[in-house]
């Protein structure tokens, strides 16, 4: 049980970087960016290919991030320069990336078993080698957990700083009110491109870490990732959201972890794994529709209250 | 100062919906001029403002400020020169950001934005000081989200943002039209005070003839994409709403609907 929960937490943390990426586009830039599906697989593909050809796993991960940044750039240019609607721009990049990822990987999937990854490097440092962890059977998981926590913490720290800068402010206002932003002298096109680059860089980072953790990269691994990202953002917002930017980012991370714990739970309860995507889609649909349900529910609630008032 | 030279703008050119919004229009606004711009619906007054601000590109002609030709310049680059307030109070501010964050954005209008802090610590006092001008008590609510403010408060804040970094020309596009009458008067009075105090060169669109006569030192009336009246100084002070209405009737061969109702 501890191992299942631990596995869910780790997966949640690794996916949290994707979720933060989705948060930046969906919540801050106000764009539903489907590039995510391609750039997560791209991160995995680049990291896997590079590590397989003997590159240092840290360099391989950085290369993956650069790939994601370029994918975001492509979507940004399609949207701002060629005036293609954002949803469609994302889909175009995503489809294009599928072929690119196949070329990068050279085949549909690539195993990384027994190869040096970021986690094995940390494992060699001695994390998880103590008697206590070994007895609990966490020798393998602790280095992964350490790397995941570290990566998420650094990301949150950097983003918190960035969104407090002049450029960060401009990016936020661009997503919230592009007309006002232009009238205040902000180049909204550049800000949209920048936001998409940051977001997809994080998503590819996430993909690279996931591939190294499961010791396996697959060009199909992005399918449904945007929905998983949205689900995590929404869960985080509903359950943990506070006002400050830092707490919102933390909420997003907790949302990603909660999502994985829920999935682990329903699997444990006997739901077939093949039904997972349907389950996620329905969850997201319900969560997105919450305001509608609320608006129907409020009048009913009020009329009940009124009736109670009259009778009492 | 601000020169609009022979500007034309046609929407949906070459289609059945083709409408000429501006026809070879020229206007020269001098330094310190406070121009009120009136006209009926579809007269082209908002289009003119949007062409000046760079929201639309003109089909023909030039927009020149201080001998600098801005014609091909993008909207965000022209922001260096223009301060703007819009008709819709929701447009001028970012609802999700706080009052101080909005002001910080406005303080950097026309400047290069970098990776330094979005709000420098010493700026807070500046913001509080400026917010006092509005007399709305907003100086005590720097970290309130702007989305929580009323339309009138947001419009007053937008006005302050448009002048926080002094613009060469202030463009006001019916900025009180969407407010309730009482708030509209307050925002107009505030506008007048700010413009007078700072001697700002201002172009204010309104469709209220009384306001157009009461405020400013120059009145320009538009009809069907051209200027049909341009009076200043003493001549402007002697204008009456009746005169403007008659002029409008002559120009259009129809009656100015809302104003007739207003006078009745």
């Amino acid at each position: 049980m501890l191992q299942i929960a631990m596995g869910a937490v780790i997966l949640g943390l690794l996916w949290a970087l994707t979720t933060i990426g989705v948060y930046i586009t969906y919540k801050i830039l106000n764009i539903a960016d489907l590039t995510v599906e391609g750039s997560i697989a791209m991160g995995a593909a680049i990291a896997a290919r590079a590590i397989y050809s003997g590159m240092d796993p840290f360099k391989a991960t950085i290369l993956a991030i650069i790939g994601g940044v370029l994918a975001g750039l492509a979507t940004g240019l399609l949207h701002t320069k060629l005036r293609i609607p954002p949803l469609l721009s994302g889909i175009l990049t995503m489809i294009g990336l599928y072929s690119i990822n196949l070329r990068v990987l050279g085949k549909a999937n690539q195993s990384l078993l027994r190869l040096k990854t970021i986690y094995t490097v940390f494992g060699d440092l001695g994390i998880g080698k103590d008697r206590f962890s070994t007895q609990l059977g966490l020798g393998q998981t602790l280095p992964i957990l350490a790397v995941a926590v570290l990566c998420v913490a650094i990301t949150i720290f950097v983003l918190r700083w960035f969104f407090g800068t002049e450029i960060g402010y401009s990016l936020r206002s661009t997503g919230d009110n592009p007309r006002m932003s232009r009238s205040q002298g902000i180049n909204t096109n550049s800000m949209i491109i920048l936001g998409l680059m940051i977001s997809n860089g994080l998503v590819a980072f996430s993909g690279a870490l996931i591939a190294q953790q499961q010791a396996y990269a697959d060009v199909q691994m992005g399918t449904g990732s945007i929905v998983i990202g949205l689900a995590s953002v929404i869960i985080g917002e509903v359950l943990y959201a506070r006002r400050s930017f830092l707490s919102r980012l933390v909420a997003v991370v907790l949302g990603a972890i909660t999502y994985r714990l829920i999935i682990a739970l329903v699997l444990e309860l006997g739901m077939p794994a093949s039904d997972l995507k349907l389950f996620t889609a329905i969850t997201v649909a319900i969560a997105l529709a919450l305001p509608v349900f609320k608006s129907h529910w409020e009048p009913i609630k009020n009329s009940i209250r009124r009736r109670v008032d009259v009778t009492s | 100062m601000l020169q609009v030279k022979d500007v034309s703008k046609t929407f949906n050119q070459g289609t059945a919906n083709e409408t000429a919004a501006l026809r070879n229009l020229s206007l020269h606004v001098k330094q310190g001029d406070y121009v009120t711009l009136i006209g009926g619906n579809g007269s082209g007054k908002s289009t003119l403002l949007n062409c000046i601000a760079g929201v639309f590109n003109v089909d023909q002609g030039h927009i020149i400020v201080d001998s600098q030709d801005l014609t091909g310049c993008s909207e965000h680059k022209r922001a260096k020169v223009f301060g703007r307030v819009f008709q819709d109070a929701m447009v001028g501010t970012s609802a999700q950001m706080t009052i101080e964050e909005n002001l910080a954005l406005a303080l950097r209008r026309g400047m290069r934005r970098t990776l330094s802090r979005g709000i420098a610590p010493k700026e807070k006092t500046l913001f509080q000081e400026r917010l006092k001008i509005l007399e709305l008590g907003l100086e005590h609510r720097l970290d309130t989200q702007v989305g929580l403010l009323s339309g009138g408060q947001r419009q007053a804040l937008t006005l302050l943002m448009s002048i926080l970094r002094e613009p060469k020309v202030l463009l006001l596009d019916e900025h009180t039209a969407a407010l309730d009458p009482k708030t509209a008067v307050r925002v107009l009075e505030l506008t007048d005070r700010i413009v007078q105090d700072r001697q700002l060169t201002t172009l204010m669109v309104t469709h209220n003839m009384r306001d157009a006569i009461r405020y400013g030192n120059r009145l320009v009336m538009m009809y069907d994409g051209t200027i049909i009246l341009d009076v200043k100084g003493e001549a402007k002070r002697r204008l009456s709403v009746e005169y403007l209405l008659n002029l409008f009737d002559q120009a259009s061969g129809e009656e100015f609907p809302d104003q007739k109702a207003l006078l009745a």
Side-chain angles (χ1 to χ4, degrees):
Chain A
M1 196 64 216
L2 175 69
Q3 266 164 348
I4 293 173
M6 193 66 131
V9 170
I10 285 176
L11 211 53
L13 282 168
L14 297 178
W15 275 84
L17 295 168
T18 295
T19 309
I20 292 174
V22 171
Y23 178 81
I24 291 174
T25 47
Y26 182 67
K27 279 288 165 185
I28 298 182
L29 275 184
N30 212 4
I31 288 176
D33 175 33
L34 291 184
T35 319
V36 167
E37 307 232 331
S39 49
I40 193 167
M42 185 182 217
I46 293 179
R49 180 63 191 266
I51 288 172
Y52 186 73
S53 11
M55 192 189 263
D56 170 72
F58 291 96
K59 281 186 193 151
T61 305
I62 289 171
L63 207 60
I65 295 173
I66 294 172
V69 167
L70 292 178
L73 176 67
T75 303
L77 291 176
L78 286 173
H79 172 44
T80 59
K81 302 294 174 199
L82 304 184
R83 308 263 174 94
I84 298 171
L87 203 60
L88 205 49
S89 305
I91 292 176
L92 291 176
T93 311
M94 172 187 98
I95 293 296
L97 281 179
Y98 188 81
S99 299
I100 294 177
N101 292 343
L102 268 173
R103 271 182 186 267
V104 169
L105 214 51
K107 48 187 171 176
N109 51 57
Q110 168 73 55
S111 163
L112 293 175
L113 278 177
R114 282 180 292 280
L115 287 171
K116 197 170 128 188
T117 66
I118 286 191
Y119 310 110
T120 60
V121 173
F122 270 73
D124 292 344
L125 291 177
I127 296 169
K129 290 275 165 64
D130 56 296
R131 237 182 59 214
F132 183 62
S133 333
T134 326
Q135 270 172 358
L136 281 173
L138 294 177
Q140 300 284 312
T141 20
L142 271 189
I144 303 180
L145 186 66
V147 172
V149 169
L150 194 68
C151 290
V152 169
I154 291 174
T155 303
I156 289 182
F157 182 77
V158 171
L159 286 180
R160 189 202 173 194
W161 162 79
F162 172 75
F163 280 102
T165 65
E166 290 174 348
I167 294 177
Y169 274 32
S170 309
L171 213 154
R172 286 166 60 200
S173 80
T174 295
D176 188 29
N177 191 342
R179 276 178 74 188
M180 168 265 193
S181 304
R182 281 191 293 274
S183 81
Q184 293 298 344
I186 293 165
N187 186 342
T188 47
N189 282 346
S190 308
M191 287 304 129
I192 291 171
I193 293 174
L194 179 65
L196 286 168
M197 287 167 76
I198 295 173
S199 163
N200 283 292
L202 283 172
V203 173
F205 187 19
S206 179
L209 291 179
I210 294 167
Q212 293 176 64
Q213 184 253 342
Q214 61 193 21
Y216 181 79
D218 188 321
V219 287
Q220 303 274 12
M221 71 178 273
T223 314
S225 55
I226 182 73
V227 182
I228 294 172
L230 284 176
S232 308
V233 167
I234 296 166
I235 292 171
E237 205 154 62
V238 171
L239 294 184
Y240 313 105
R242 296 284 180 280
R243 254 203 61 203
S244 83
F245 188 71
L246 177 67
S247 70
R248 282 184 206 168
L249 284 182
V250 173
V252 164
V253 173
L254 293 177
I257 295 172
T258 309
Y259 171 79
R260 287 295 159 184
L261 287 170
I262 294 172
I263 295 296
L265 186 70
V266 293
L267 286 178
E268 200 65 7
L269 291 175
M271 194 175 83
S274 52
D275 288 347
L276 265 187
K277 291 209 157 116
L278 178 63
F279 174 78
T280 308
I282 293 173
T283 314
V284 172
I286 292 173
L288 287 175
L290 273 181
V292 178
F293 294 143
K294 250 187 196 163
S295 69
H296 283 295
W297 171 238
E298 286 296 325
I300 299 171
K301 206 168 70 182
N302 289 340
S303 75
I304 293 171
R305 194 175 298 151
R306 244 175 279 135
R307 224 165 277 169
V308 171
D309 286 346
V310 171
T311 49
S312 60
Chain B
M1 183 70 196
L2 167 66
Q3 271 180 293
V4 178
K5 267 193 181 164
D6 198 28
V7 163
S8 293
K9 174 73 188 173
T10 304
F11 290 108
N12 305 313
Q13 201 144 25
T15 72
N17 294 325
E18 182 173 300
T19 28
L22 298 175
R23 306 169 193 265
N24 303 93
L25 185 140
S26 292
L27 176 69
H28 185 187
V29 180
K30 296 206 175 64
Q31 177 84 42
D33 261 0
Y34 180 3
V35 183
T36 55
L37 184 60
I38 51 168
N41 293 329
S43 61
K45 49 196 198 308
S46 280
T47 306
L48 174 60
L49 231 63
N50 282 326
C51 283
I52 293 173
V55 178
F56 309 134
N57 278 321
V58 297
D59 298 337
Q60 178 205 311
H62 294 273
I63 308 289
I64 297 163
V65 174
D66 276 348
S67 69
Q68 187 192 358
D69 194 337
L70 299 176
T71 313
C73 233
S74 57
E75 187 185 353
H76 72 268
K77 283 195 182 131
R78 292 193 208 189
K80 193 171 191 167
V81 176
F82 301 117
R84 287 159 67 197
V85 185
F86 311 87
Q87 178 172 358
D88 183 349
M90 305 300 131
V91 173
T93 45
S94 166
Q96 287 176 18
M97 298 175 82
T98 63
I99 292 178
E100 58 178 1
E101 286 169 342
N102 272 278
L103 287 168
L105 282 171
L107 190 63
R108 288 158 180 79
R109 181 163 51 76
M111 292 164 68
R112 203 185 155 76
R113 288 163 210 263
T114 65
L115 288 175
S116 46
R117 298 260 302 264
I119 303 175
K122 63 175 191 293
E123 284 167 8
K124 295 200 183 209
T125 26
L126 171 79
F127 295 158
Q128 281 172 334
E129 202 179 286
R130 295 301 173 86
L131 282 166
K132 276 185 198 149
I133 306 172
L134 304 183
E135 294 171 0
L136 292 170
L138 296 182
E139 61 271 23
H140 308 300
R141 301 172 65 186
L142 279 185
D143 57 358
T144 300
Q145 267 197 346
V146 167
L148 300 173
L149 303 182
S150 70
Q153 288 172 324
R154 284 182 73 165
Q155 206 62 329
L157 181 63
T158 309
L159 183 64
L160 181 64
M161 286 166 64
S162 68
I163 56 142
L164 197 57
R165 182 148 302 276
E166 192 154 303
K168 283 187 175 169
V169 184
L170 180 60
L171 303 173
L172 308 169
D173 189 2
E174 298 201 46
H175 68 305
T176 59
L179 302 175
D180 69 79
K182 228 172 150 182
T183 316
V185 170
R186 284 194 63 179
V187 173
L188 259 181
E189 293 292 338
L190 178 70
T191 308
D192 194 52
R193 211 171 68 219
I194 289 175
V195 172
Q196 304 276 11
D197 282 356
R198 290 158 199 262
Q199 296 289 308
L200 291 172
T201 308
T202 303
L203 200 53
M204 177 167 91
V205 172
T206 169
H207 59 221
N208 186 314
M209 295 199 177
R210 286 174 202 278
D211 291 341
I213 295 171
R214 185 183 305 147
Y215 300 106
N217 67 340
R218 182 174 168 190
L219 183 148
V220 170
M221 187 171 181
M222 281 181 70
Y223 176 77
D224 197 23
T226 54
I227 290 175
I228 56 168
L229 178 73
D230 187 349
V231 286
K232 49 193 116 180
E234 188 54 35
K236 173 178 181 284
R237 272 191 287 278
R238 279 189 270 114
L239 280 176
S240 68
V241 174
E242 286 80 2
Y243 174 80
L244 292 179
L245 281 176
N246 281 331
L247 189 74
F248 182 85
D249 290 347
Q250 279 165 24
S252 61
E254 57 188 286
E255 297 194 334
F256 203 116
D258 3 332
Q259 299 290 334
K260 273 273 156 62
L262 258 180
L263 283 173

